[in-house]
Amino acid sequence: ARRRFALVSIVAGPEAFPVPAGARFGVTEEGALLGRAPDPAFAEALLAAGKDALAAGRSRRLRLPASGGVPALEAFVEAVLPQPELLIVGAGHIAVPLARMAKSLDFRVVVLDDRAAFANPQRFPEADQVIAANIPATMKGYPLTSDTHLVLVTRGHQLDQEALKLAIHAPLGYIGMIGSKRRVRAVLDHLRRHGVPEERLAAVHAPIGLPIGAETPAEIAVSILAEIVAVRRADRRRSAR
């Protein structure tokens, strides 16, 4: 179902506590606890541990705090995450090396374009899914999640604008749009006039990619993927510093 899930395994704790080592509990990304906790305080500690792991996107061992008569327990929280997805909207010359390189970085690659001559398995043999269909109509029904990384590289700014308008409120892991500064400014101004708040506009990486002086399609693909990796690993890079 491509949903995030946290698995909390009790590693060690007092013998008298009714939850033994090896007991497991689940926490869904909606905040539901799976498994029977002996009391509300322990349930809250499990939920907090699961939510923290999902927010950070990584697993860790921790000590569940003692509170309300519940003793401190050692636990391992595993963040079970879907494979990161790269949704490439536009199947032009940049999309081809982008799909190929993204696959080598373990992304699930989806290509969407309204031109069957461009969006086909022969042109994108590495892609997990190639969709030749109306772009706005497909975007309306597409499941956009925090594990989706959206790249808008269509043949015209009108299509980019329509797709961005449909996706900008989704909890995407990354959203980037190709184009010159003038073209990007025009698209963002259009969305601003239609009531899109500034914090959502600020989440759009445009012009797309890290500024490495890229010129060829392959170099532009490198700059886009480098920016996506930087966004995905931002918390870890801050921790390392």
Side-chain angles (χ1 to χ4, degrees):
R2 297 192 54 77
R3 308 293 289 172
R4 292 187 167 211
F5 184 79
L7 184 63
V8 186
S9 301
I10 304 304
V11 176
E15 291 185 5
F17 192 62
V19 179
R24 291 180 169 183
F25 301 85
V27 178
T28 69
E29 63 179 327
E30 293 82 13
L33 178 66
L34 306 181
R36 183 172 296 179
D39 56 62
F42 186 61
E44 285 300 317
L46 291 169
L47 282 171
K51 289 176 181 177
D52 286 347
L54 291 180
R58 58 181 181 268
S59 307
R60 65 191 181 105
R61 180 166 173 160
L62 50 76
R63 189 173 180 84
L64 295 175
S67 64
V70 178
L73 298 175
E74 295 290 330
F76 181 75
V77 188
E78 181 183 1
V80 183
L81 308 176
Q83 182 183 14
E85 179 180 74
L86 180 66
L87 174 57
I88 307 171
V89 180
H93 56 292
I94 294 171
V96 174
L98 183 59
R100 184 171 60 250
M101 294 179 194
K103 198 61 187 173
S104 70
L105 293 177
D106 297 324
F107 281 87
R108 178 179 186 270
V109 177
V110 180
V111 180
L112 167 63
D113 200 296
D114 55 3
R115 302 166 294 175
F118 286 80
N120 58 71
Q122 291 72 36
R123 186 170 165 82
F124 294 95
E126 300 88 1
D128 296 274
Q129 186 178 7
V130 181
I131 306 171
N134 179 272
I135 290 174
T138 304
M139 290 290 295
K140 285 179 183 177
Y142 197 89
L144 300 172
T145 73
S146 57
D147 294 296
T148 304
H149 303 75
L150 176 63
V151 171
L152 301 174
V153 285
T154 72
R155 62 187 180 277
H157 76 278
Q158 287 293 340
L159 277 174
D160 285 340
Q161 181 175 283
E162 289 184 62
L164 180 59
K165 192 173 182 179
L166 292 167
I168 198 165
H169 295 290
L172 293 162
Y174 171 91
I175 181 168
M177 182 178 65
I178 202 164
S180 65
K181 291 182 179 180
R182 182 184 60 80
R183 172 177 157 181
V184 165
R185 186 167 55 250
V187 171
L188 296 182
D189 285 345
H190 171 81
L191 296 181
R192 189 176 287 112
R193 289 193 299 271
H194 283 75
V196 177
E198 289 297 327
E199 61 268 22
R200 296 309 306 158
L201 296 175
V204 181
H205 295 265
I208 198 170
L210 295 183
I212 61 173
E215 294 182 0
T216 68
E219 289 173 348
I220 294 170
V222 168
S223 75
I224 293 170
L225 285 170
E227 186 171 63
I228 291 174
V229 171
V231 170
R232 289 189 67 216
R233 306 303 189 194
D235 289 340
R236 296 189 188 186
R237 288 188 294 114
R238 280 194 291 268
S239 298
R241 291 198 191 101

